[in-house]
Amino acid sequence: YRFTPVESPSKAILPDTDLMYKNLVERSNYENLARPEIYFNYEDFQARMVEPLRSAFNVLAIGLLNEGKEKRAVSVMDQAIQLLYTPHLKPSFSNLQAGDIFLHLGNATVAEKLSAAVFDYAYLEVEESVTNDQQIEQLPLFLLQRSSDLLNRLGRTDYPAKVDALL
């Protein structure tokens, strides 16, 4: 991010999309993230490296869309899918953000895939808590509900039904 000398019509901070694109897409190498044989623990890598990168790609894509640069936003998100949303990396809230972006871009297939990955992951965590009569943690429950909502918008009414049956 860089500050710009232009006042934003909203209170949101406007990203410098040219600089972000250069740093995230052109200058960076994500080869190790794409290798499933490399183990990334949650605390050190997933939470501190993968999640911020996913969020940065999402912010860049939204910034490009706000600037009317849809083709470049599609390119950014396509690269993010290839590099940062691979099956060996844990799904998270950023999947849902990316799903919303892909839905906006008209790619419901990728939006569904990203959302279903979050749903499946969160469902197992919530189901385990319910089965063991433990208190349900807020993050998995939130992810379950948000992914279910997005999947429902995509016409997948079976997902909200699964949540209702579980809870």
Side-chain angles (χ1 to χ4, degrees):
Y1 297 99
R2 288 257 174 117
F3 291 109
T4 59
V6 179
E7 186 174 343
S8 171
S10 71
K11 296 297 178 194
I13 297 172
L14 297 175
D16 181 338
T17 56
D18 291 332
L19 182 61
M20 282 186 78
Y21 186 87
K22 188 177 289 183
N23 288 334
L24 286 173
V25 177
E26 294 174 356
R27 291 183 177 165
S28 298
N29 181 333
Y30 303 98
E31 285 179 20
N32 283 342
L33 288 177
R35 295 175 54 195
E37 69 272 10
I38 297 177
Y39 171 71
F40 294 103
N41 69 16
Y42 181 78
E43 178 78 21
D44 296 323
F45 294 100
Q46 185 77 28
R48 294 184 182 166
M49 185 173 69
V50 175
E51 270 311 296
L53 281 172
R54 286 175 173 174
S55 292
F57 270 82
N58 292 343
V59 166
L60 175 57
I62 291 168
L64 291 167
L65 287 170
N66 289 337
E67 294 173 1
K69 299 176 181 174
E70 188 170 316
K71 285 184 182 179
R72 197 167 204 189
V74 169
S75 172
V76 165
M77 291 309 295
D78 285 345
Q79 184 169 3
I81 287 295
Q82 293 172 4
L83 302 170
L84 303 172
Y85 294 97
T86 55
H88 69 283
L89 296 174
K90 181 178 168 182
S92 63
F93 181 72
S94 57
N95 285 58
L96 300 177
Q97 291 174 321
D100 275 330
I101 294 168
F102 274 105
L103 188 57
H104 176 79
L105 294 171
N107 193 336
T109 303
V110 174
E112 184 176 338
K113 180 180 174 186
L114 289 168
S115 301
V118 174
F119 183 92
D120 293 342
Y121 176 80
Y123 186 90
L124 290 175
E125 286 197 19
V126 172
E127 182 181 47
E128 183 177 334
S129 296
V130 169
T131 301
N132 295 327
D133 284 329
Q134 297 174 337
Q135 183 174 350
I136 300 171
E137 291 185 36
Q138 291 300 307
L139 181 58
L141 182 60
F142 173 77
L143 293 174
L144 183 65
Q145 292 169 334
R146 283 290 308 268
S147 60
S148 173
D149 291 344
L150 182 54
L151 289 159
N152 190 41
R153 287 191 335 219
L154 290 163
R156 296 296 308 269
T157 57
D158 52 319
Y159 284 93
K162 288 179 187 179
V163 173
D164 291 341
L166 178 63
L167 303 177

